[in-house]
Amino acid sequence: MPIAIPRAFWKRSSVLALAFVISAGGAGAVAVWMSRRRLQVKLDHLDKQRRLNRERARIAQDIHDDLGASLTRINLLSQSTLGKLEPAHPAWQDAEGIRSEAVNVTKALDEVVWAVNPRHDTLESLLDYLTDFVGEFVGLTGIRARIHAPQPLPSWVLPSDLRRSVFLAAKEALNNVIKHAQATEIRLRLEPQSTAFKLVIEDNGCGFVQPTAAAVHPGGPVRHGIVGIQERIESLGGQFHLDSAPGRGTRVTFTVP
């Protein structure tokens, strides 16, 4: 006797096909939702960054306009006072101190404005600012300065804290050259690499015996700003290298990711 046992409905081909279509549609919907979610997160991040950059630009402009104008006025008033006094007058030294301090604060303010302004978040801006600083700072001493960098530079975005830390480290290294090296030439070289850039500052000065790790330690006898420079670069995840010897100058190298 032939016996026919019908398949359970969930095993029928039509039901299986329908289940496959529903599963594929659900998986596609989930994929689309996840893709849209990632895109929305990215858009939210870009919007937040754009609003942050607008605020940074506003702060930089306010600092430049308000404090910069006030410092300029202080400088002009102190110069006017100096012109009305004889150098032997007791107030002359005070007026000169006010003028000198106003100039120093103006320079420090310019560094802050440059660091805060998002327009300068580039490797090219860092090089330009270093070039201007070297021309002004080193040019007054009569030391020749040579600056080498490839053109064009990579269009990398450098955060403000990175730019400021690298600039301050380079500034301290140049200050050491002026104070201690007795050099006639300074060479500054910027070398972009695949995932980092290298900044080399070298001079043809007297050089010195490289201190040991104990001597360079903050409590050791030899500092010359070496510890501060090294800590700034290493705080960025970079590497600091010092090469010097008596009679053959000094080379300082920063490698910054």
Side-chain angles (χ1 to χ4, degrees), residues 54-104:
R54 280 202 303 266
E55 187 65 15
R56 286 174 56 195
R58 185 192 65 78
I59 293 172
Q61 191 66 43
D62 289 348
I63 292 175
H64 179 271
D65 293 346
D66 297 339
L67 295 181
S70 298
L71 288 170
T72 300
R73 180 170 173 76
I74 292 172
N75 190 18
L76 292 175
L77 288 173
S78 60
Q79 288 183 6
S80 176
T81 303
L82 287 171
K84 298 174 183 177
L85 298 174
E86 295 293 331
H89 194 282
W92 193 92
Q93 289 293 340
D94 293 337
E96 172 59 23
I98 293 172
R99 186 203 64 80
S100 177
E101 191 64 24
V103 171
N104 292 335

Side-chain angles (χ1 to χ4, degrees), residues 119-141:
R119 289 195 303 110
H120 301 301
D121 287 351
T122 63
L123 184 61
E124 184 175 5
S125 178
L126 174 61
L127 177 64
D128 290 344
Y129 200 77
L130 278 172
T131 300
D132 292 342
F133 176 78
V134 169
E136 180 180 353
F137 183 67
V138 178
L140 297 174
T141 65

Side-chain angles (χ1 to χ4, degrees), residues 223-238:
R223 276 192 67 117
H224 293 313
I226 294 174
V227 172
I229 296 173
Q230 184 171 356
E231 288 177 348
R232 283 189 185 278
I233 298 303
E234 290 181 350
S235 70
L236 303 172

Side-chain angles (χ1 to χ4, degrees), residues 184-233:
T184 60
E185 182 175 286
I186 293 176
R187 294 177 294 277
L188 187 147
R189 188 169 68 253
L190 181 66
E191 301 177 358
Q193 300 175 338
S194 58
T195 58
F197 66 89
K198 183 181 292 185
L199 183 65
V200 182
I201 301 173
E202 53 186 332
D203 63 74
N204 63 349
C206 59
F208 60 96
V209 177
Q210 289 190 217
T212 62
V216 179
H217 189 271
V222 179
R223 276 192 67 117
H224 293 313
I226 294 174
V227 172
I229 296 173
Q230 184 171 356
E231 288 177 348
R232 283 189 185 278
I233 298 303

